[in-house]
Amino acid sequence: MSLNALNTSTAGLQVTQAAIGLVSQNVANAGTAGYVKRTLTSVSTLGNSGVATGTISRTLDAVSLKQLRLETAGAAYTGLSAKVQGQLDALYGTPGSGSALDGVMNTFTQSLQALTTDPTSAASRATALSAARTVATTISGIARGVQDLRSGLESQLGSDVASASTLLTQIADLNGKIAGAPKSDAGTADLLDRRDQAINTLSQYLDVQVSDQPDGSVTLLTASGATLVDHGAAASLAFDGRGSLSPEAQYSADPAARGVGTVTATTPAGARIDLVATGAIRSGSIAAAVSLRDDTLVQAQRQLDDLASGLSRALSDRPATGTAASANGLTGFDIDLTGLQAGNAVTLGVRNAAGVGRNLILMPTNGAAPDPIDPKLTDDPTALVVPVDISGGDSTIAQQIGAVLGTGFTVSATPGGAAGSVRILSDPAALALTGASASVTVPTNASDTKTGSGQLALFVDGGTGGVFTGSFEGGSHLTGYAQRLAVNPAVAADSSTLVDYAGTTASGDTARPQTLTDALTNRTLTFSAASGIGGVSAPRFTTVTGFTQSVVDARGAASAEAQQLDEGQQIALSSAQSRFGKESGVSVDEEMSRLIQLQTAYSANARVLTAARDMLDTLLRI
């Protein structure tokens, strides 16, 4: 019996010593990121006559770990979004300040108003020119900043994708080690911790679904179901970055048309998957960077392009609005399109017999515009865009419009009208015309500063030096126009052109300054739905100054919303971390309490062992 007690006490000491060592390890790693609390399970030996060390297991709450990874990906997404939105907002300046976008536009408008009170003042003309330059440099500076942000995100995508690919390889390697390791070994728990930490870090880059396998390995899938890790095999991620991005560089599922990088996964079998085109990545910093680069900042560029276009054409174009006309039971409109230039879109409102309305945009071209023209590049993305060849001049406009409209319409020159005046009629019972409008650029070139009317090409395309008309010749001239916006050199060289619009203009004539002022503050223009101002399904009708304020307001609201979303997501992440730490982390107080229990047990086993030794000594002395 003494020998049995000796063996039992020895086994108890060994188990207790192992448990104390595990408590010591837990306490030492209480602050280690990714460390999961360990516990030791003891087992009875044969006949329940003793005890032996069982398995070392981790106190892991799988539900809280899954939630932690979900919130980690969400926080990385909202964090990057809030950061970039804040940087974008800063480009526009503090609303209302003299250097902000709305501030410089107001200063420019006020300088034109001042010119109407004293057109002969050289100082007033110089002030107006200076204010115009400030507007141009401010808009172009913001637009360049937008592309700098896109280029920065392109670079970050390359770095994040490389890091994520490395983590996938590490996870697959750990899978192989864990699958072949004893489940009760302390080293296996360390491997599991390392793998969990790698997956948690991976969640910062992209959202993943984790599936446990019977052999102890895990399978990683994207939110859309694409396999990233399967046992010991991992997909490799790659990003074909394009470096510095221009406004024309945008995402397309067509590799030949794509101007930015995309994320591809190559499976161990060699299959390639475009994770951006398939929408496989929906959260994490990679998804945020793609969304910001391809959506948020592209829309910001479009807003600036539309503002630059509206600013230029408000001052250089004459509005052409159709007047009701009818003949032989047909109804429609007469519209004066004299001087129509490539890009001066003619918008016809049409309504079918069912009462469904839609815009039909006739896009003038000299023959070098793409066909078809993407309606997203026009004011109305829901419109039907039809190119019209105007290379033959005003006298052929009616004929060319009639040719592209087809048999449902009757098109002719307006009786008694100008050479470019057109009458467009249709049968109202089948296809009714509900409106006709156009914006016709008056100056034919930048040096044409005295057109005999109040219009003036004060702003031109700095890239070509030409007057901006919205042309599609050789591609959309709208895309990137904000970067190219510049004051007309001919006006800068002779400030009197701000007042003089004909050879006989009186020196104190206020007609042109008043026309320019009204064009900015009173004339309602159509701004594209693609700008997202007031919605993305219909054009925006407002003045240039009104659109400027709308852009500033929308930018501030978007930045504030992104910040609020991030704050809420960070709270959710903090809660998930707290929950996981409570369930699976180390509590020093609990470990200390456990240590006291183990010390008591160790002492008791030691006393039994001492008693057994004393009994043996007594027996030996008999």
Side-chain angles (χ1 to χ4, degrees):
M1 180 176 179
S2 298
L3 290 175
N4 185 53
L6 183 63
N7 291 334
T8 300
S9 299
T10 300
L13 284 174
Q14 291 174 341
V15 171
T16 304
Q17 186 177 20
I20 291 174
L22 200 57
V23 169
S24 176
Q25 181 181 353
N26 284 339
V27 172
N29 287 280
T32 303
Y35 181 84
V36 177
K37 181 174 66 177
R38 271 73 154 154
T39 58
L40 178 66
T41 303
S42 58
V43 296
S44 298
T45 58
L46 184 63
N48 295 323
S49 60
V51 67
T53 301
T55 60
I56 297 175
S57 60
R58 301 187 306 155
T59 308
L60 183 67
D61 184 347
V63 174
S64 63
L65 179 59
K66 181 179 179 180
Q67 187 66 28
L68 175 61
R69 289 167 178 165
L70 179 65
E71 302 300 349
T72 297
Y77 187 102
T78 60
L80 181 59
S81 295
K83 175 185 175 182
V84 174
Q85 289 276 19
Q87 292 172 333
L88 178 59
D89 188 43
L91 293 174
Y92 291 75
T94 303
S97 66
S99 59
L101 178 60
D102 57 344
V104 298
M105 184 63 74
N106 290 336
T107 299
F108 174 52
T109 303
Q110 291 166 4
S111 71
L112 290 179
Q113 291 172 338
L115 192 58
T116 63
T117 63
D118 188 5
T120 62
S121 172
S124 295
R125 295 198 297 266
T127 299
L129 276 176
S130 176
R133 291 192 187 94
T134 301
V135 168
T137 55
T138 298
I139 293 176
S140 62
I142 296 173
R144 285 192 296 271
V146 169
Q147 295 310 313
D148 288 342
L149 289 175
R150 294 186 71 221
S151 297
L153 289 168
E154 184 85 346
S155 176
Q156 179 175 332
L157 278 167
S159 175
D160 286 357
V161 169
S163 297
S165 186
T166 299
L167 286 167
L168 292 177
T169 301
Q170 293 176 357
I171 293 167
D173 181 61
L174 289 168
N175 267 348
K177 294 178 179 179
I178 291 169
K183 301 300 180 286
S184 61
D185 188 62
T188 303
D190 292 334
L191 291 173
L192 291 170
D193 277 354
R194 288 171 55 192
R195 187 179 66 187
D196 285 345
Q197 185 65 11
I199 297 174
N200 292 346
T201 303
L202 180 66
S203 298
Q204 297 176 11
Y205 300 115
L206 69 162
D207 50 326
V208 291
Q209 298 179 4
V210 183
S211 177
D212 294 321
Q213 301 303 313
D215 63 355
S217 65
V218 294
T219 298
L220 299 187
L221 306 173
T222 66
S224 64
T227 302
L228 297 177
V229 173
D230 184 17
H231 297 281
S236 62
L237 303 182
F239 180 75
D240 56 340
R242 306 301 172 88
S244 181
L245 301 184
S246 66
E248 295 78 13
Q250 297 185 18
Y251 181 80
S252 172
D254 179 4
R258 178 166 51 83
V260 297
T262 193
V263 183
T264 56
T266 304
T267 67
R272 288 173 58 86
I273 304 172
D274 187 330
L275 300 182
V276 175
T278 58
I281 306 175
R282 301 174 184 174
S283 191
S285 63
I286 292 177
V290 170
S291 177
L292 290 164
R293 182 198 65 181
D294 298 342
D295 298 320
T296 303
L297 295 177
V298 168
Q299 187 178 76
Q301 176 70 48
R302 181 58 185 268
Q303 291 174 359
L304 294 167
D305 287 342
D306 281 356
L307 176 58
S309 169
L311 178 63
S312 297
R313 299 192 63 182
L315 303 180
S316 65
D317 290 13
R318 66 170 178 85
T321 303
T323 57
S326 62
N328 302 321
L330 304 179
T331 62
F333 296 91
D334 289 334
I335 184 169
D336 183 7
L337 302 179
T338 303
L340 196 70
Q341 298 188 42
N344 293 170
V346 180
T347 302
L348 302 178
V350 295
R351 185 177 62 243
N352 62 19
V356 178
R358 185 183 186 186
N359 281 338
L360 174 62
I361 296 179
L362 304 175
M363 185 60 66
T365 171
N366 289 320
D371 188 9
I373 293 174
D374 187 352
K376 294 180 180 179
L377 296 173
T378 69
D379 293 335
D380 187 355
T382 66
L384 173 63
V385 183
V386 181
V388 177
D389 187 355
I390 61 167
S391 58
D394 290 343
S395 62
T396 65
I397 289 179
Q399 177 185 350
Q400 293 296 333
I401 291 178
V404 299
L405 289 181
T407 57
F409 299 87
T410 298
V411 183
S412 62
T414 302
S421 186
V422 178
R423 172 170 289 181
I424 306 174
L425 303 175
S426 68
D427 181 357
L431 194 64
L433 284 168
T434 60
S437 62
S439 182
V440 181
T441 305
V442 175
T444 57
N445 56 69
S447 61
D448 184 13
T449 60
K450 298 185 179 182
T451 59
S453 62
Q455 286 76 29
L456 173 68
L458 179 55
F459 296 98
V460 296
D461 189 328
T464 64
V467 178
F468 182 81
T469 64
S471 173
F472 281 85
E473 304 301 292
S476 173
H477 291 198
L478 174 66
T479 304
Y481 180 54
Q483 279 90 332
R484 307 191 307 271
L485 184 67
V487 171
N488 188 342
V491 178
D494 182 5
S495 64
S496 68
T497 55
L498 290 170
V499 177
D500 299 336
Y501 60 90
T504 59
T505 304
S507 61
D509 195 327
T510 62
R512 172 167 275 183
Q514 190 62 57
T515 298
L516 299 179
T517 302
D518 290 343
L520 296 179
T521 59
N522 296 327
R523 180 183 171 185
T524 298
L525 302 179
T526 303
F527 294 91
S528 69
S531 67
I533 302 297
V536 294
S537 59
R540 174 82 165 177
F541 303 99
T542 185
T543 63
V544 172
T545 54
F547 186 74
T548 302
Q549 191 60 54
S550 296
V551 168
V552 173
D553 292 344
R555 173 71 354 248
S559 179
E561 181 182 8
Q563 186 63 40
Q564 291 173 357
L565 287 175
D566 184 48
E567 290 174 355
Q569 185 59 45
Q570 294 301 330
I571 292 174
L573 175 60
S574 179
S575 298
Q577 291 171 333
S578 177
R579 178 183 175 186
F580 179 76
K582 182 178 180 181
E583 300 293 336
S584 302
V586 176
S587 170
V588 175
D589 290 341
E590 291 180 2
E591 296 301 315
M592 290 299 99
S593 176
R594 174 66 175 158
L595 182 60
I596 292 173
Q597 296 175 2
L598 292 172
Q599 287 175 331
T600 302
Y602 189 90
S603 177
N605 279 297
R607 291 182 64 184
V608 170
L609 189 61
T610 300
R613 183 198 61 191
D614 292 343
M615 291 175 62
L616 288 174
D617 289 344
T618 301
L619 288 174
L620 291 173
R621 288 196 298 269
I622 294 175

